[in-house]
Amino acid sequence: MDFKWEIVIEYLPFFMRGLGYTILASLIGFVVGAIIGLVIGMGKSLSNPILRLPFIWYVNVFRGTPLLVQIFLIHFAVMPIFIKPPEPLISLIVALALNSAAYIAEIFRAGINSIDKGQREAAYSLGMSHAQVLRHVILPQAFKRMIPPLGNEFIVLVKDSSLGAVIAAPELFYWGKVAVGSYSRVWEPYLSVAVLYFVVCLVLSYVQSFLERKYATDDQRKKSKKVVRRARGAEGH
Amino acid sequence: MISVKNLKKSFGELEVLKDINVEIQEKEVVVVIGPSGSGKSTFIRCLNRIEDITDGHVYIEGTDISNKKVNINKVRTDVGMVFQQFNLFPHKTVLQNIMLSPMVVRKWKKKEAENKALALLRKVGLEDKAHVYPDSLSGGQKQRVAIARALCMEPKVMLFDEPTSALDPEMVGEVLEVMKQLAQEGMTMIVVTHEMGFAREVGDRVLFMDGGYIVEEAKPEEIFSNPKEERTQAFLSKVL
């Protein structure tokens, strides 16, 4: 197989711009999704079953239908109500945000529920309000447990943003398809695109494990070990 | 100080507390004993409404906490609680565990909270552990920190829910010692425990619970040497 590097080189500026949009769309999608997800996650934990219902069904609908279908519905049916003609990149970001919100809601809810109820009881017994308990006792502990699934969700989102190509959002995979179309060569453009996705996801998984280590170190390893060692030394055993 | 009237508590169909009536005076040390499943823990957990009250009234210094409109957070600042499982906050150091609530609830200055916390750590003999995380403490040390944490709010009454049941036997003594000292200082205390020695030595009054009722209450010397009720006799013959 003769691999034509000149195609890669010629299209690299477009790929890089596409990659920029991929990262932008994923990042905004993730941040907005996290905000909506927090609200949905809390809504799903409401004690009133009727108020809880819409939040439960939000998650059911967005997890239970393909993202590709959601992108088409949002781009061709929903967005034209607001923007004419609909802007593909915005449609993509909206779809990613709404879709990831459903998954992030579950991550938040599971993280908060995973904290032992004794923690809550102890905090309440000390006179703290709901908000104080959440802020000082539950969330700091829950956040640490949420890092791995949130990291996974973000990586999935980066890869899923490639679906934007079908509505011509100018993200990375879209430029790959354009290059394939203009040269009638498949290996060079698609492999380049794959490598770029791979590099981004690899970097993200390192960021994730760095964060995990950082927060684990904070309370369990570094400080306590150091202090314990010091204390043991002082006691002489 | 505390007055409980016709207290009932159900979990779904299961009625755990059937009709509890008791008065507790200031500076009194009341020890609650009884077989497992008798409702002791549920009873003490109703006294700061960690457990919702199904029916009846619990008055803490005249405030009826069974009333949903009462600001329960305010009442809880005066009622300290120590749990079987310690429930220290693992993401905070020993000192931060103790200072947290005085600072966020009572709005003390950091320095003020720290001084008080260090004084309490000295009192429970754990000054040198101020900056370690709970993870590195033994069970007995954790429970002493938990007591210091509750005391830092300067409560008027302390509730102990089986404070030594999760401890290795050799650590029970150090925790009971701290509680004994607290009793001598005049703290009002309600203690659910299986430590009959502690009940006899420190308690002013013993409540024997069974089947969701207070079956018998008396001074420790009476209840241990001359229990009146058959169920009390049966229970004590097994544990003593």
Side-chain angles (χ1 to χ4, degrees):
Chain A
M1 190 189 85
D2 57 331
F3 193 88
K4 293 203 168 130
W5 283 100
E6 55 271 29
I7 298 178
V8 178
I9 291 161
E10 196 190 329
Y11 261 85
L12 199 60
F14 297 104
F15 290 159
M16 294 316 282
R17 197 194 310 161
L19 185 63
Y21 282 124
T22 290
I23 292 170
L24 183 79
S26 315
L27 205 60
I28 299 177
F30 186 75
V31 171
V32 176
I35 295 165
I36 304 173
L38 186 63
V39 175
I40 308 246
M42 295 205 292
K44 265 191 90 168
S45 309
L46 288 172
S47 49
N48 183 327
I50 295 171
L51 292 179
R52 200 163 59 209
L53 215 59
F55 300 102
I56 292 174
W57 278 95
Y58 180 95
V59 174
N60 286 347
V61 167
F62 277 90
R63 279 204 311 193
T65 54
L67 177 57
L68 184 60
V69 176
Q70 293 165 18
I71 289 175
F72 271 68
L73 272 172
I74 287 166
H75 184 61
F76 294 111
V78 179
M79 291 310 282
I81 302 171
F82 307 101
I83 312 170
K84 274 178 195 155
E87 164 60 43
L89 195 63
I90 294 175
S91 300
L92 175 63
I93 291 172
V94 170
L96 292 177
L98 294 179
N99 182 270
S100 66
Y103 291 90
I104 294 173
E106 290 296 284
I107 294 171
F108 280 141
R109 205 175 54 87
I112 288 169
N113 287 350
S114 74
I115 304 303
D116 180 58
K117 79 171 172 38
Q119 293 286 309
R120 225 172 280 251
E121 289 176 359
Y124 282 131
S125 80
L126 289 163
M128 287 188 222
S129 65
H130 292 293
Q132 288 167 336
V133 173
L134 208 60
R135 163 149 179 241
H136 296 286
V137 177
I138 305 298
L139 285 181
Q141 295 183 63
F143 178 67
K144 202 164 63 187
R145 297 184 188 180
M146 291 174 198
I147 293 171
L150 284 176
N152 287 342
E153 176 57 25
F154 189 54
I155 289 172
V156 167
L157 208 60
V158 168
K159 292 183 292 177
D160 281 355
S161 70
S162 62
L163 289 169
V166 298
I167 54 169
E171 47 71 54
L172 179 57
F173 183 56
Y174 169 82
W175 287 106
K177 279 182 46 171
V178 170
V180 169
S182 61
Y183 287 96
S184 303
R185 300 273 302 185
V186 288
W187 279 99
E188 291 83 355
Y190 286 154
L191 266 184
S192 308
V193 163
V195 167
L196 287 172
Y197 277 115
F198 179 71
V199 169
V200 170
C201 291
L202 201 63
V203 168
L204 285 175
S205 63
Y206 279 111
V207 171
Q208 178 191 326
S209 55
F210 167 77
L211 286 177
E212 273 175 52
R213 252 176 299 127
K214 178 170 182 275
Y215 283 95
T217 314
D218 259 9
D219 50 302
Q220 273 140 16
R221 294 188 203 124
K222 197 170 66 191
K223 282 191 204 159
S224 68
K225 266 194 186 156
K226 214 188 285 166
V227 177
V228 166
R229 229 177 285 134
R230 211 188 300 143
R232 284 206 180 123
E235 284 165 17
H237 59 106
Chain B
M1 166 119 217
I2 296 179
S3 168
V4 180
K5 296 211 165 88
N6 308 110
L7 171 63
K8 294 188 177 77
K9 171 67 189 177
S10 304
F11 294 100
E13 297 285 292
L14 184 70
E15 194 173 38
V16 177
L17 298 179
K18 289 176 180 147
D19 186 15
I20 303 285
N21 292 282
V22 68
E23 301 280 330
I24 292 157
Q25 308 305 322
E26 206 176 327
K27 302 198 172 187
E28 203 179 6
V29 177
V30 175
V31 178
V32 184
I33 61 171
S36 58
S38 59
K40 316 183 288 289
S41 279
T42 307
F43 163 61
I44 200 170
R45 287 161 61 87
C46 283
L47 298 183
N48 63 351
R49 223 175 81 191
I50 286 292
E51 213 67 81
D52 277 328
I53 293 163
T54 307
D55 196 19
H57 302 277
V58 174
Y59 298 91
I60 306 286
E61 294 209 297
T63 307
D64 183 1
I65 62 167
S66 65
N67 182 347
K68 288 275 184 202
K69 290 194 186 99
V70 160
N71 180 356
I72 190 67
N73 297 336
K74 180 83 183 60
V75 176
R76 283 173 182 155
T77 60
D78 288 333
V79 184
M81 188 166 204
V82 173
F83 300 84
Q84 185 177 350
Q85 297 299 338
F86 329 125
N87 297 342
L88 295 179
F89 307 135
H91 59 302
K92 295 193 176 292
T93 64
V94 165
L95 193 63
Q96 289 166 345
N97 259 276
I98 303 176
M99 288 162 58
L100 177 65
S101 198
M103 281 171 66
V104 305
V105 179
R106 291 236 194 260
K107 311 289 182 206
W108 290 4
K109 297 261 182 311
K110 186 171 180 213
K111 198 71 214 157
E112 192 184 355
E114 194 172 306
N115 289 340
K116 173 86 180 176
L118 285 170
L120 283 166
L121 277 176
R122 212 167 301 136
K123 182 172 173 174
V124 301
L126 291 170
E127 239 178 319
D128 56 326
K129 302 291 186 194
H131 299 289
V132 307
Y133 285 87
D135 248 11
S136 61
L137 300 179
S138 71
Q141 291 171 331
K142 281 182 192 163
Q143 198 59 298
R144 285 187 281 156
V145 171
I147 294 172
R149 180 175 68 176
L151 289 176
C152 204
M153 288 297 283
E154 302 183 330
K156 295 181 180 143
V157 52
M158 285 283 284
L159 310 175
F160 291 87
D161 186 6
E162 303 204 23
T164 58
S165 299
L167 298 177
D168 290 336
E170 74 267 27
M171 291 167 185
V172 170
E174 64 192 60
V175 172
L176 292 182
E177 203 49 50
V178 169
M179 292 167 61
K180 210 181 290 177
Q181 193 192 335
L182 204 56
Q184 279 159 5
E185 289 167 10
M187 176 62 79
T188 311
M189 290 165 62
I190 300 160
V191 185
V192 172
T193 189
H194 295 290
E195 294 294 327
M196 297 303 153
F198 177 85
R200 202 192 298 248
E201 195 182 337
V202 184
D204 294 315
R205 189 153 46 122
V206 174
L207 309 182
F208 172 71
M209 284 184 67
D210 193 19
Y213 295 99
I214 296 175
V215 175
E216 185 166 354
E217 55 173 297
K219 290 191 178 309
E221 53 272 25
E222 283 171 37
I223 210 161
F224 287 116
S225 57
N226 190 15
K228 294 194 177 56
E229 300 291 328
E230 213 171 291
R231 279 191 281 176
T232 320
Q233 291 164 7
F235 174 74
L236 289 175
S237 70
K238 274 184 226 150
V239 297
L240 288 180

